[in-house]
Amino acid sequence: MTADKQDWPLYEVFVRGKRGLNHVHVGSLHAADDRMALTHARDLYTRRNEGVSIWVVRSEHIAASTRDEKDPFFEPSADKVYRHPTFYDIPDDVPHI
Amino acid sequence: MVGWEVGRMDTTRSSPVGTDGAEPDLQQHFDATIARDQRIEPRDWMPEGYRKTLIRQIAQHAHSEIIGMQPEGEWITRAPSLFVDGAAICNQVPLCRSSYGPYARAMVRICKEESFHQRQGYELLMTMMRGTQKQREMVQDAVNRWWWPSLMMFGPPDDASPNSAQSMAWKIKRHSNDELRRRFVDMTVPQAEKLGVTLPDPELRWNEELGHHDFGTPDWDELMRVIKGDGPCNDQRMERRRTAHEEGSWVREAATAHAAKQAARERKGAVA
């Protein structure tokens, strides 16, 4: 049987730094199965109290936008200035706005 | 240097071999990203040369981490740590700003590891220096043997380092070999002084004008011999590496078999 590490699937690792924070992508690793991916992620990415919770997901299961941020995919976000409420005229002496 | 972590590099997204510059838009976008000091991420287009250089450097780095775990593991109790780990820190700290995102991020964690090694090594040497005359002589002997190889760890001099200029232009490396070497000397001299050991270089002195130390030239021929595989421990290391890989194969096979069995069981459960 070939059991080279190359045959093991790639996992992406997400760590919740502490309660109240989102899980954040921290890196990736190869593992034989989900459980090994979790234990390796624990050893590799949370060895100095960096996290309270870990998610691992097979990289092939991630659907991603195309290669980088200049992609037209993100244009709808750039052309809607009204989403940034900076142009309403409010007198300076109105509190709490 | 134990524990290597290198991010994912998508191998399918760069240009085919030999077409650097053949895709002007992509090249321009890549150059602009580097110029703005932003990071290149795995799925971005990158010139083939950039990708090759990264793979070479990351592979070399990963290899040194693995070797650090294998034959060098047993050095921990008698380590020339002051130099080797110190040199690694000088090399690696600036790589935390490397232009390839996953590598830079992995370096942050590696540097934490390295600083812990260096502190451990320094304390160990201080304890030795407070010991018997014999122990102090052992430390000095290690310093004499390791000083020059440590300087060589930064690689060949800039004028003989074919990849350096391009790597710096791409911001994979942030400082040249000679710059890092000088930084290491400046950093180590006061540490050695405090320890009470003498660095074996008659040309070593503080240069007031430059604000750096002047120091002698390592034996570059020796470095070239070591790089080409003719170092004093080369065969032993290759053998240790091979043995460790072979002796670990049953673990890898067992893990793979276990995963396959679990997957089959799950499929069966889903059908039933």
Side-chain angles (χ1 to χ4, degrees):
Chain A
M1 182 204 303
T2 58
D4 202 33
K5 236 179 142 185
Q6 299 303 324
D7 299 330
W8 290 356
L10 187 65
Y11 284 83
E12 301 297 327
V13 180
F14 300 80
V15 169
R16 185 197 291 289
K18 58 179 185 183
R19 287 176 175 280
L21 297 181
N22 291 323
H23 282 78
V24 172
H25 182 249
V26 292
S28 58
L29 48 79
H30 287 275
D33 56 28
D34 294 358
R35 197 169 150 208
M36 184 195 268
L38 273 174
T39 49
H40 282 184
R42 177 201 62 196
D43 295 344
L44 213 52
Y45 293 106
T46 62
R47 59 170 70 180
R48 292 189 178 78
N49 299 325
E50 289 97 333
V52 296
S53 164
I54 300 175
W55 291 345
V56 292
V57 60
R58 293 269 287 266
S59 306
E60 63 189 10
H61 292 155
I62 292 184
S65 59
T66 45
R67 50 181 86 166
D68 62 52
E69 67 271 22
K70 78 161 191 168
D71 196 271
F73 185 71
F74 292 100
E75 266 168 28
S77 154
D79 65 11
K80 292 176 179 58
V81 287
Y82 52 83
R83 285 180 181 164
H84 304 276
T86 54
F87 43 81
Y88 297 104
D89 215 4
I90 310 282
D92 288 345
D93 53 357
V94 179
H96 307 307
I97 288 187
Chain B
M1 284 187 254
V2 173
W4 73 281
E5 306 102 349
V6 172
R8 167 187 182 203
M9 181 132 64
D10 191 322
T11 52
T12 61
R13 292 293 182 143
S14 76
S15 65
V17 183
T19 60
D20 279 18
E23 295 172 290
D25 272 9
L26 295 169
Q27 179 76 46
Q28 214 171 23
H29 182 62
F30 173 87
D31 292 344
T33 306
I34 298 279
R36 281 198 307 269
D37 228 352
Q38 290 185 329
R39 300 288 178 263
I40 303 300
E41 294 295 342
R43 288 158 50 84
D44 293 348
W45 181 90
M46 57 190 88
E48 186 60 22
Y50 178 86
R51 203 172 72 86
K52 272 196 180 148
T53 302
L54 269 170
I55 290 177
R56 195 189 64 243
Q57 181 167 334
I58 293 173
Q60 196 269 344
H61 194 152
H63 178 248
S64 88
E65 299 287 350
I66 289 173
I67 289 298
M69 184 89 155
Q70 292 173 0
E72 288 175 13
E74 56 197 49
W75 294 3
I76 288 171
T77 51
R78 45 190 144 124
S81 307
L82 172 62
F83 296 149
V84 180
D85 292 333
I89 289 174
C90 271
N91 259 330
Q92 292 169 356
V93 166
L95 288 175
C96 296
R97 294 186 299 118
S98 178
S99 62
Y100 187 61
Y103 189 42
R105 293 190 289 271
M107 287 319 299
V108 174
R109 288 194 307 281
I110 289 179
C111 285
K112 283 183 187 160
E113 206 72 17
E114 221 58 58
S115 124
F116 148 75
H117 293 174
Q118 196 200 25
R119 283 158 170 268
Q120 187 220 22
Y122 198 83
E123 195 201 72
L124 189 146
L125 290 175
M126 277 180 20
T127 309
M128 289 273 282
M129 291 302 281
R130 281 196 303 267
T132 64
Q133 181 60 23
K134 184 105 201 293
Q135 285 174 310
R136 278 189 289 278
E137 283 166 13
M138 283 168 72
V139 175
Q140 181 62 53
D141 177 58
V143 168
N144 293 344
R145 281 181 292 122
W146 281 93
W147 175 245
W148 293 107
S150 305
L151 291 185
M152 292 177 197
M153 272 184 66
F154 294 91
D158 292 352
D159 52 21
S161 178
N163 303 307
S164 266
Q166 180 61 75
S167 286
M168 283 175 65
W170 276 329
K171 298 183 185 171
I172 292 174
K173 278 171 69 164
R174 309 300 300 224
H175 305 282
S176 78
N177 296 352
D178 287 339
E179 271 172 54
L180 290 168
R181 194 166 5 249
R182 189 173 68 177
R183 182 180 292 189
F184 170 72
V185 172
D186 289 341
M187 183 182 102
T188 309
V189 166
Q191 292 177 352
E193 222 163 79
K194 192 90 190 148
L195 201 58
V197 293
T198 312
L199 299 174
D201 178 359
E203 293 176 54
L204 182 66
R205 62 180 58 84
W206 177 249
N207 184 327
E208 189 68 51
E209 208 175 309
L210 292 176
H212 290 289
H213 290 86
D214 292 330
F215 53 98
T217 309
D219 179 354
W220 298 128
D221 293 338
E222 183 188 335
L223 173 64
M224 288 308 154
R225 283 195 303 276
V226 172
I227 289 175
K228 292 204 172 86
D230 201 15
C233 298
N234 192 261
D235 292 341
Q236 182 203 346
R237 288 174 162 217
M238 290 299 285
E239 186 47 37
R240 284 290 293 272
R241 172 77 186 85
R242 248 192 304 273
T243 312
H245 189 71
E246 281 162 16
E247 286 178 355
S249 71
W250 71 271
V251 179
R252 294 190 295 276
E253 281 165 24
T256 306
H258 179 74
K261 201 169 96 183
Q262 293 298 116
R265 197 172 286 170
E266 255 172 53
R267 272 198 302 275
K268 221 167 157 187
V271 172

